[in-house]
Amino acid sequence: MDVTSRPLPRGALPHEPEIRLVPPLRRGDQVAFLSLSGPLAAHCPRRLRRAADDLTRRGLRVRIDPTTQLATGRTAGPADVRAAAFTAAVLDPDVRAVISAVGGEGARDILPYLDASVLAASPTAVVGYSDTTSLLLWLYHGPGWTTYYGPAALPQFGEYGGGAEFTWHGLWDRLSGADPAGGVLPSHDDVVVETLLWDAQDDRPRTVSGSAARVVWRPGHVTGPLVAANITVLADDLRAGLHTGVRWDGHVVCLEESDTVSAEELGQSVTVLADSGLLDGAAALVVGRFAQDHRRTWEPGLSRRLLRPLVRRCSGPVIADCEFGHTDPVLTLPIGGLMTVDAPVPGRGRPRLLLAPTAARRAAAVRAPLATRAGTSSQEER
């Protein structure tokens, strides 16, 4: 029996669904690009083709779904059409992974057209970030799949010359199970935030904008199941009534934000998240890189001040400037994976993120306690 089809025990981890590990990706497998949200793929055919070529040269077969050719206002076709395309891709035995073509808005709208009972029997790797948050969390809390908060086709793999090696290896390691023993997620201090208009100016590699190491906002050491989301999208999900009754206590919560969001908008979204109770008792908070910080369009320290209400909700360590979100390169974070956050006292080493092997995850699911905390301060950082 393929061990990837066996679920973990339900209820062993707080507020965690029965987890189904998706089958691993292999060289020669087919992946599908779907436009689940906005229509940019239809407007940027050259960049879409470059993304397909990049993954092809890395040993995958790429199927470009017809949704990537659709553009109806702000979305890539009607919600029911995108939902039907997603369902068809998941049920197709030849498709081993669905990769979001690009974000935007509209992924939430496809959820009423998805049937969890139909999808549940065909766990498939689904990868994306930003607006894809709604779908990734729906699949995690509903059918109970491990999903992947990571690169999208156009933003990362449609780059001139192909996607960053750091980004590619992070994706491949997660989806292929290349590191079954788990281990440290690598860090990368380079930050790229330069904007080149797609299919018009993107005829050269983007320049490195600067350097930034992960930073500890609150020290500690903790282990818990990982969840990841875009702050604004998650807040809008909550406003729309999604994730009712869900709590992320005991979880390692990874949050990032879009590069076009204003400080006022971020503050409003943070208030929604804090008031919802979703993050109350979170084991750790891991914050992605804010493009606004690295473009210096926000005053120094602003993002940290705006996130204080969420830091207060977290019971364990907090680290920031991690390699995911709307800067490049990016990690791939397995939603439902077991992550350890090691955040030493500043000056005593660099913070680390570690993923546990599958065997350890199964053991953790039947052992108590879920998380261990050492050197964690409950006092909010100044």
Side-chain angles (χ1 to χ4, degrees), residues 287-351:
V287 180
R289 288 171 169 166
F290 278 69
Q292 294 89 332
D293 290 335
H294 295 284
R295 288 176 179 150
R296 295 179 175 82
T297 55
W298 285 1
E299 62 182 84
L302 178 58
S303 60
R304 182 172 180 174
R305 292 197 296 275
L306 291 171
L307 293 174
R308 279 178 179 167
L310 302 185
V311 172
R312 294 189 187 105
R313 301 288 179 173
C314 172
S315 63
V318 181
I319 65 175
D321 251 326
C322 293
E323 302 86 344
F324 65 97
H326 285 67
T327 68
D328 285 299
V330 295
L331 292 165
T332 297
L333 303 173
I335 296 176
L338 194 64
M339 175 178 276
T340 296
V341 177
D342 180 21
V345 172
R348 297 186 180 179
R350 293 178 59 143

Side-chain angles (χ1 to χ4, degrees), residues 42-270:
H43 299 311
C44 302
R46 182 181 69 175
R47 191 155 180 118
L48 177 65
R49 186 69 257 169
R50 286 201 310 215
D53 290 345
D54 188 34
L55 294 192
T56 298
R57 74 177 178 84
R58 297 181 188 275
L60 298 174
R61 292 183 295 119
V62 177
R63 190 184 91 188
I64 299 179
D65 188 81
T67 54
T68 61
Q69 311 305 312
L70 300 179
T72 53
R74 302 181 70 125
T75 63
D80 59 336
V81 172
R82 286 176 280 129
F86 178 75
T87 299
V90 165
L91 297 182
D92 186 339
D94 289 334
V95 174
R96 306 306 295 271
V98 172
I99 299 177
S100 171
V102 66
E105 60 183 73
R108 184 182 308 107
D109 299 338
I110 74 174
L111 302 184
Y113 299 98
L114 299 178
D115 188 331
S117 64
V118 171
L119 298 175
S122 300
T124 303
V126 180
V127 188
Y129 70 111
S130 195
D131 189 63
T132 316
T133 289
S134 304
L135 176 62
L136 297 176
L137 292 179
W138 184 87
L139 291 168
Y140 171 61
H141 290 299
W145 296 0
T146 298
T147 57
Y148 298 90
Y149 205 88
L154 270 70
Q156 277 73 46
F157 296 112
E159 282 285 89
Y160 180 87
E165 292 301 307
F166 178 88
T167 298
W168 160 251
H169 287 298
L171 177 68
W172 179 251
D173 287 350
R174 300 290 80 72
L175 267 62
S176 70
D179 53 352
V184 178
L185 287 179
S187 61
H188 199 294
D189 290 352
D190 286 348
V191 184
V192 179
V193 293
E194 183 184 20
T195 298
L196 298 176
L197 187 64
W198 290 356
D199 276 16
Q201 299 173 333
D202 55 347
D203 291 318
R204 62 169 175 82
R206 292 186 299 159
T207 59
V208 173
S209 306
S211 179
R214 298 171 186 170
V215 59
V216 175
W217 287 358
R218 180 192 291 161
H221 184 90
V222 68
T223 297
L226 182 156
V227 287
N230 175 275
I231 295 171
T232 292
V233 175
L234 181 58
D236 287 343
D237 280 356
L238 294 170
R239 292 184 181 107
L242 293 180
H243 320 309
T244 301
V246 170
R247 292 294 180 270
W248 286 346
D249 50 305
H251 283 69
V252 173
V253 180
C254 302
L255 297 177
E256 60 91 14
E257 189 50 273
S258 304
D259 56 347
T260 57
V261 164
S262 69
E264 180 181 7
E265 291 167 332
L266 175 60
Q268 293 169 350
S269 295
V270 165

